[in-house]
Amino acid sequence: MTPDTAPNPLAHRVAEAIRTPAPWEVFAERLRRYEIHFNGRVVEVLRGPLVVEGYGVRLFRPNGEAIGTGFQASTDSTPSGIAQVVSDAEAIAARSTFPAKAVNLPSGAAAKADSSQILDTKLWAAPIPRMEEYLQQLLAPFDRLKDVVPSFGSTRATLTETSLANSSGLRTQYAHTTITIELALKAFGGAEGAPPGEYWVNDQVRRLDPAHAGDRVADWAQFAQDARRAKAPPTGELPVVLPAEVLATILPSVMGFRFSGLSRLRQIAPEAGSAVAAPGLTVYDDGTIPWAPNSAPYDDEGTATGRRTLVKDGAASELLYDLLHAGAFSSRPTGNGLRGLTFGTRDWMRFAHDPGLGPTTLDVPAGSGGSDAELAEVAGDGIWVQQLGWASPDGLSGAFGGEVRIGYRIRGGKLAEPVRGGTVGGVVLAPPGTPSMLSSVAALGSKVELCDSLRSPTMLVKPLTVAGA
Amino acid sequence: MSDLRDFEGEIDRLLTRLEKRSAYADIMAQSAQGQSVRMDRQSTRPASEPRFQGAAVRVWAGTKWVEAATSDLSPAGLEVVADSLEGALESDAVRSEPPGPSSTTAATSLTDPPHPVSELGVEGMLKLARDVRGWVTQVPSIRDAIVNLAWTDEQRLFVNTVGARCYQSVMRVRGTVAAVAVENGKVEFDFLSEGGVGGVEQLDFLTEPHAKEIAESARELLAASTPPTGEMTVLLDPGVAGIFAHESFGHGTEADQFVRDRSYLKPILGEVLGPESLTIVDNGAYPGGWGTIYYDDEGNLGQRTVLVDKGRFVGALHDRETAAALHAKPTGNTRRADFVSRPFVRMTNTYVEPGDWSKEELLKEAKNGVLLEHATSGIEDPLGGQMQLKVKKGHRIENGEVTGLVTSMALSGRVLDFLRAIRGVSDQSDFIISPGFCGKGHSDILPAGTGGPYLLSTAVVGPA
C-alpha cells in the first residue's frame, strides 16, 4: 500500500458522519513531522514523530441574496466531536455573507490523485535516516572550507496524508512531503579583525536529494565571507538585478492578490489587456509544476490545479478564483483555493484554516538576457541584490522594500565589491502610465530557477530606488 | 474545549512511565477556543478558533532532548507518544540531569478581565464591526474598510517530573481596521491595530474619531509624496520604537544566540551603548500586554527582565539551557508557538521605557528629518547587528515642525550606530504596547507585544 491509498482516510470518515444538508466539504490531514535541530554539527534536539490529525468542515447556506459560509476545524474526530464542528459551522454560516450567486462544488468519483511529483518516497519510508543522510552531505563541504562553519540550522520534514470529500460526491486523497531547511553559515578569521559574517539559507522543498545537498555551500560561504567586508550601497535610482530567490519574496504575494477575484471584488484588479509590465514579460500561475512546494493534484477545495496566464507579453490576462470568488463572478474556479495563506500561527496545518484565494507557483519564462554576467553587463552601473532582509510586499498598494543583507556593486558591467545595508524598494504594479517594477524590467535571464512559490529567471530592473550611503 | 486539567491523570501516568527511563521529562498540553469577525465591503465572515488540542512531551536523553507530540490526548494517544520516546532513548536509563534548573512551581492563573468577551458575544462583535465600517466609509475616496475583531482563550498546562504544575488560561483580544482608498487606479491604505490580554476593554480604541482619522490618512496617502532617501534624523512613533526594541535588543538578547556565538551583543555585555535616556526591557508580566504570559513553557513565572538600563547593556533572555551555559537564571522566556513546536528562548512584551522629553521637544531637537509612523514589520540580524524596520507612512520634519505626508518607508542601519545616535525618548503619555506576531527565523510564529514612546535618532531610510 502506498501512502496515498490508505483505506478510508479521515475526510471520508468525517463525511460519512455528517448529517447536515448539502452543500458542504471536508478537508483533512494526518501530519507527521520530524525535526533535527543542530548547533554547529552537534544535534541539539531530535523531534518526532509530531503527530497531528485534524479536519475542517465548511458549509454553505443561502443568506438573502448572498451565501453564508461556516467553517470550523477540530482535532476531535469522534462522532460527538464531528457533530460539534458541524453545529459550530452552521451557527457561523447563519451570520455570514459573501456576494456569491452560487457555489458549485467540484464532484468526482472516488479516486487516488497522483502524488508522484510531490511525494519523496524515500523520506516517507525512513524520515530520520534520510534526513541524517541529507545533513551529512550538506555539512560535508565545510571540511574543505577555511574560516567558514555551519553556525546552526534545522531540517523539518512534514509527511502529510491529505483527504477531501464533499456533498457533491468528491472523494479523493493524496500524500505529499514538505521539507524546510535552515542553515546559517558563519565566516570569521583573518588578520583584518572584521566581525563575523553570516549568510542565512531558508529553503522549502518537496524532496531531499542528499547527492546534491552540498552543491551550493561554496557560494553561500562566499556570501558569508563577503558580508564581512561589505559596505553600504550608493543612494539613487539605479539598475538593480534581482535573482529568483529575491523575486520569490516580492512577486507572488502582490501578483497573487492583484490578479485575483479578491482584487476584482474591490474593483482594483487590472483590466484584461491593459499594459501592466514591460513587453516580453509573461507570468503564469501553475499549480502543477513538478516538485514545487505549492503543487498538488487538487487545490484545498478539490478543484483540479492547472496553469493560468496572468500576464501575456506585458498585458494583463486572466484572474485567479477559488469557489467563492468564482461564484461571485459566474466564473470557473482556477484551482487556487488554498488554506493557511496568512502569516500567523499553525500555518503548516492547513486543515485548521478555511480556504482563501492565493497563487500556487508563479512561473516566469526565461528571456534572452543570457547569463548572470551578461545581465550585469547590460546593467552597467548598479547593484546586484543577493538577499533582502524582508521585502514584505503589500498587495494593496503594491509597495515592497527591504534591507540589502548581501549584494554586489555592478561597475562597468561587472560584479564588483560587496554591499550590505541600506534599502531597495519600489512598487510592483502601478496604474497604466506610472512606472513600476514590472514595467521597468529591462532584461530577463536565460535560465529559470524554482524558489519556493516562484519559478523565474533573474531580472534586471531599470531603475529601482536604492537608499544607502 | 475540554479543561486541560481533565487530562492531568493521564499526563501524570505518562510522566511516571518516562521517569523510569530518564531523570527528567516534561509535558506541555495546549488547547484553545475563540471567536473572530472579519467584515469588508462585500462580506461578513465570523469564525471560530479551531477546536484544537494536543501535547508536546520532552525527555532528556543524556546529551540532547528528544521530543514527540500528539493531537490525541486519549490514553491510547499518549501511549503512542511514550512508546516513540522510549524508542528514541538509549537502552539504559538516563540518570544525568538536563542542564539548568528545573522549575518546581505549582500554580494556576486565569485572565480575569473587568469586561469578559461574553459581554460582547458574536452579535456584539458584528455590531461593532458594522459601526466601525460605517464610520470609515463616510470619508470620500474610501473604497473599503476591512475590520477584524478576534479573541482567543488559550489554556496551557505544564507538568514536569520534579514537581512543577502550572496551569494558565490567557485571553487575548485584538481589533484591526484597514481603510482602503482608491483614486484613478491608485490604491492606498492605512490601518489601526490594538489588543492585549484582557477583555472587551481592549477594543475601546475603536471609536468614531479614530476610525475617521485612519480613513482620512488613507485618503491623504493617495496624494502623498515619496519619502526622502538616505541617512537622516529619524523620529520613531511609539509603535515603531517598539519594533526597534524587538528587532535590535529583543532578538539579539535571546541567549540561545549567545550560546551559538551568533549575537553581536554577546561580547559587549556590560558596556554602555546608548544615552541614559534609553532603557529597554522584556516583560512577560506586563499587565494587559499582548505578549503577557503567566508562566513560560518550562514552568517559570512570566517576569520583567531589564536588557538595557540607562544606556548600559545589562541582561539577556534565558531558558534553562542558556542559563546553565552562561551562569544566569531562567527569565521566563521559554515559549512554544504551539504544542507541535520546539521551545525556544522568545520575547514576551519588549519595549523602550518612557523618557522625559515631550514629542514637541523631540521635533524641535530633530529640526529636519522624517517621522516614521505605523510600523508594519521588522527583521533582525543577530550576528551582523543590522536591523530593518518598515512603516506604512511618515511625515517630513522641517524646522522642528511636522510637514508633508510621505508614503511607506524602510529604515535600515547598524543597531549600535543607531543607539549612539539616540538624542531623546518621550514620556509616559506617549507610551503604548502594540500587538504583533514574531517568528524564530521564518517559523514558530507566536504573539509578542512591542512598545515604547517616541524616540529620536539617525538612520538610513528609503521607499518600501
Side-chain angles (χ1 to χ4, degrees):
Chain A
M1 184 175 66
T2 60
D4 46 356
T5 57
N8 206 15
L10 180 57
H12 303 185
R13 298 201 305 274
V14 172
E16 295 298 314
I18 288 181
R19 298 286 175 264
T20 200
W24 49 257
E25 68 182 12
V26 185
F27 177 91
E29 289 178 316
R30 183 170 192 275
L31 301 141
R32 279 182 299 138
R33 193 171 220 195
Y34 297 85
E35 301 179 357
I36 300 175
H37 297 252
F38 54 95
N39 181 12
R41 295 183 181 219
V42 177
V43 172
E44 282 182 326
V45 184
L46 190 63
R47 311 189 71 231
L50 312 165
V51 181
V52 181
E53 189 168 43
Y55 62 97
V57 174
R58 182 171 63 158
L59 41 81
F60 307 87
R61 297 291 177 256
N63 195 341
E65 299 205 339
I67 282 180
T69 63
F71 174 81
Q72 177 60 301
S74 179
T75 51
D76 181 355
S77 56
T78 62
S80 63
I82 294 169
Q84 184 64 60
V85 163
V86 171
S87 170
D88 287 352
E90 291 282 12
I92 291 165
R95 296 181 171 95
S96 157
T97 60
F98 187 87
K101 301 172 187 73
V103 171
N104 296 311
L105 298 181
S107 59
K112 163 184 160 322
D114 181 8
S115 297
S116 61
Q117 292 184 312
I118 52 174
L119 174 68
D120 181 338
T121 51
K122 290 180 178 169
L123 179 72
W124 192 283
I128 291 287
R130 188 69 172 169
M131 291 162 72
E132 288 173 335
E133 182 188 356
Y134 178 85
L135 284 178
Q136 196 174 9
Q137 295 304 318
L138 177 68
L139 301 180
F142 287 94
D143 293 338
R144 300 186 294 275
L145 293 173
K146 185 172 182 295
D147 296 340
V148 179
V149 296
S151 176
F152 71 96
S154 65
T155 304
R156 307 177 191 210
T158 308
L159 285 48
T160 307
E161 295 162 75
T162 297
S163 53
L164 297 98
N166 67 27
S167 56
S168 293
L170 178 76
R171 299 286 186 278
T172 192
Q173 59 180 312
Y174 62 92
H176 57 104
T177 45
T178 308
I179 308 102
T180 57
I181 299 152
E182 181 185 27
L183 174 65
L185 296 88
K186 184 161 64 176
F188 57 93
E192 73 276 28
E198 181 177 75
Y199 190 71
W200 189 28
V201 180
N202 282 278
D203 211 357
Q204 186 171 19
V205 295
R206 283 285 195 196
R207 58 180 167 176
L208 286 178
D209 184 0
H212 295 284
D215 284 0
R216 296 203 60 199
V217 167
D219 290 341
W220 299 336
Q222 188 65 53
F223 299 145
Q225 286 171 325
D226 288 342
R228 303 186 68 201
R229 60 189 183 92
K231 306 281 189 234
T235 293
E237 301 288 312
L238 298 173
V240 176
V241 181
L242 303 169
E245 55 198 278
V246 174
L247 293 167
T249 67
I250 300 170
L251 294 182
S253 60
V254 174
M255 295 194 71
F257 175 76
R258 294 300 285 270
F259 287 84
S260 78
L262 287 163
S263 282
R264 188 173 172 190
L265 263 187
R266 291 181 170 80
Q267 300 173 334
I268 57 174
E271 290 286 328
S274 63
V276 292
L281 184 68
T282 294
V283 184
Y284 302 97
D285 177 86
D286 192 337
T288 65
I289 294 173
W291 303 111
N294 285 347
S295 286
Y298 298 98
D299 72 0
D300 296 341
E301 297 176 320
T303 303
T305 50
R307 183 173 173 87
R308 307 285 165 185
T309 308
L310 305 184
V311 177
K312 180 72 175 171
D313 196 16
S317 183
E318 296 176 86
L319 301 180
L320 305 176
Y321 295 100
D322 60 1
L323 288 176
L324 281 173
H325 290 84
F329 295 107
S330 302
S331 298
R332 295 174 65 84
T334 55
N336 291 86
L338 303 174
R339 300 171 193 253
L341 290 167
T342 51
F343 175 82
T345 55
R346 300 192 292 267
D347 51 355
W348 63 281
M349 298 182 206
R350 295 162 87 109
F351 75 85
H353 303 267
D354 62 342
L357 172 51
T360 56
T361 303
L362 292 193
D363 190 20
V364 182
S368 56
S371 65
D372 290 352
E374 288 170 294
L375 287 171
E377 197 172 318
V378 176
D381 185 18
I383 65 166
W384 177 291
V385 178
Q386 185 60 41
Q387 191 174 63
L388 280 178
W390 186 8
S392 50
D394 156 23
L396 276 170
S397 69
F400 76 96
E403 183 186 51
V404 178
R405 283 293 157 93
I406 185 69
Y408 295 87
R409 191 81 164 86
I410 301 172
R411 295 181 189 274
K414 301 212 177 302
L415 288 187
E417 74 276 12
V419 296
R420 174 175 161 79
T423 67
V424 172
V427 177
V428 175
L429 279 165
T434 309
S436 70
M437 176 183 156
L438 288 184
S439 68
S440 305
V441 173
L444 294 169
S446 301
K447 190 179 77 174
V448 297
E449 191 175 349
L450 176 63
C451 295
D452 202 0
S453 51
L454 177 73
R455 186 167 70 176
S456 172
T458 299
M459 287 185 187
L460 167 61
V461 184
K462 288 173 93 168
L464 285 175
T465 304
V466 181
Chain B
M1 291 303 283
S2 313
D3 188 319
L4 283 177
R5 289 170 290 190
D6 296 343
F7 296 99
E8 278 187 285
E10 294 304 327
I11 287 169
D12 289 344
R13 271 187 283 282
L14 172 68
L15 290 178
T16 301
R17 177 175 163 185
L18 294 172
E19 209 170 7
K20 293 174 185 159
R21 299 293 307 280
S22 174
Y24 181 89
D26 63 31
I27 182 165
M28 191 284 280
Q30 180 200 20
S31 76
Q33 61 174 336
Q35 184 77 49
S36 65
V37 166
R38 184 183 193 280
M39 193 178 290
D40 60 21
R41 180 169 179 250
Q42 303 279 3
S43 64
T44 299
R45 291 192 176 191
S48 284
E49 180 75 8
R51 293 178 175 273
F52 181 79
Q53 65 182 24
V57 186
R58 180 172 75 155
V59 181
W60 178 243
T63 57
K64 62 179 183 289
W65 294 101
V66 294
E67 291 190 25
T70 181
S71 59
D72 181 359
L73 294 182
S74 72
L78 293 175
E79 283 288 313
V80 171
V81 169
D83 290 346
S84 68
L85 287 171
E86 287 185 342
L89 292 168
E90 301 294 328
S91 53
D92 293 334
V94 175
R95 291 294 162 226
S96 65
E97 297 283 341
S102 300
S103 170
T104 55
T105 300
T108 293
S109 293
L110 315 174
T111 303
D112 183 20
H115 300 287
V117 289
S118 56
E119 285 183 10
L120 193 60
V122 182
E123 293 303 332
M125 291 171 80
L126 287 165
K127 180 181 183 307
L128 179 57
R130 269 192 296 273
D131 288 347
V132 173
R133 267 192 50 73
W135 297 328
V136 171
T137 53
Q138 284 172 20
V139 172
S141 297
I142 296 300
R143 173 73 55 83
D144 200 357
I146 304 163
V147 181
N148 276 290
L149 309 175
W151 64 265
T152 58
D153 185 5
E154 185 191 19
Q155 298 177 66
R156 289 194 181 207
L157 173 64
F158 176 86
V159 185
N160 68 16
T161 48
V162 297
R165 186 173 299 269
C166 301
Y167 173 76
Q168 61 186 323
S169 174
V170 181
M171 176 82 77
R172 289 190 173 86
V173 181
R174 186 185 190 197
T176 304
V177 186
V180 183
V182 182
E183 273 180 13
N184 302 320
K186 187 172 183 186
V187 185
E188 265 297 356
F189 76 97
D190 199 4
F191 70 99
L192 189 58
S193 178
E194 291 188 21
V197 168
V200 180
E201 70 281 357
Q202 295 289 348
L203 301 177
D204 286 349
F205 72 100
L206 291 171
T207 61
E208 183 171 356
H210 280 146
K212 287 186 168 171
E213 189 181 323
I214 286 302
E216 289 289 356
S217 172
R219 185 177 65 82
E220 288 165 8
L221 275 167
L222 290 168
S225 58
T226 54
T229 298
E231 187 175 69
M232 66 195 71
T233 295
V234 292
L235 181 59
L236 312 188
D237 84 2
V240 185
I243 301 287
F244 153 70
H246 178 100
E247 304 298 351
S248 61
F249 266 84
H251 283 292
T253 58
E254 291 169 340
D256 49 350
Q257 311 292 7
F258 282 29
V259 172
R260 290 169 171 165
D261 277 329
R262 196 198 172 216
S263 174
Y264 71 101
L265 291 169
K266 182 181 177 185
I268 51 177
L269 185 63
E271 291 186 16
V272 173
L273 306 178
E276 279 213 7
S277 57
L278 182 69
T279 294
I280 300 177
V281 305
D282 182 88
N283 190 352
Y286 189 90
W290 174 251
T292 293
I293 52 175
Y294 305 117
Y295 317 102
D296 74 358
D297 292 325
E298 287 183 334
N300 300 298
L301 289 171
Q303 56 199 266
R304 180 175 185 270
T305 303
V306 180
L307 305 174
V308 176
D309 186 19
K310 295 178 181 166
R312 185 182 296 277
F313 172 35
V314 296
L317 306 176
H318 289 284
D319 63 11
R320 58 182 300 159
E321 286 184 89
T322 66
L326 300 168
H327 310 291
K329 290 181 179 172
T331 55
N333 289 87
T334 309
R335 299 181 71 187
R336 293 180 189 265
D338 53 47
F339 73 86
V340 188
S341 301
R342 179 189 166 182
F344 284 107
V345 184
R346 306 297 298 271
M347 284 172 269
T348 57
N349 301 295
T350 312
Y351 51 85
V352 177
E353 292 212 320
D356 54 9
W357 293 60
S358 69
K359 179 184 173 187
E360 290 67 32
E361 288 170 334
L362 290 175
L363 284 166
K364 285 198 169 41
E365 173 70 19
K367 198 167 180 189
N368 294 300
V370 65
L371 168 63
L372 288 90
E373 300 164 281
H374 290 197
T376 53
S377 69
I379 190 163
E380 79 281 16
D381 181 8
L383 184 63
Q386 302 271 135
M387 63 175 173
Q388 172 193 312
L389 314 176
K390 288 189 70 171
V391 300
K392 188 66 197 86
K393 66 174 186 177
H395 283 85
R396 290 176 189 273
I397 303 170
E398 295 170 305
N399 295 317
E401 302 284 335
V402 173
T403 59
L405 181 68
V406 296
T407 54
S408 56
M409 288 172 273
L411 176 154
S412 161
R414 290 188 67 230
V415 172
L416 296 181
D417 292 344
F418 186 88
L419 290 175
R420 278 190 281 270
I422 289 175
R423 284 142 67 190
V425 178
S426 78
D427 59 28
Q428 181 70 42
S429 63
D430 297 318
F431 182 84
I432 59 166
I433 296 267
S434 300
F437 291 91
C438 166
K440 189 83 169 181
H442 286 238
S443 54
D444 298 291
I445 311 299
L446 49 68
T450 57
Y454 286 92
L455 186 152
L456 183 67
S457 186
T458 301
V460 171
V461 298

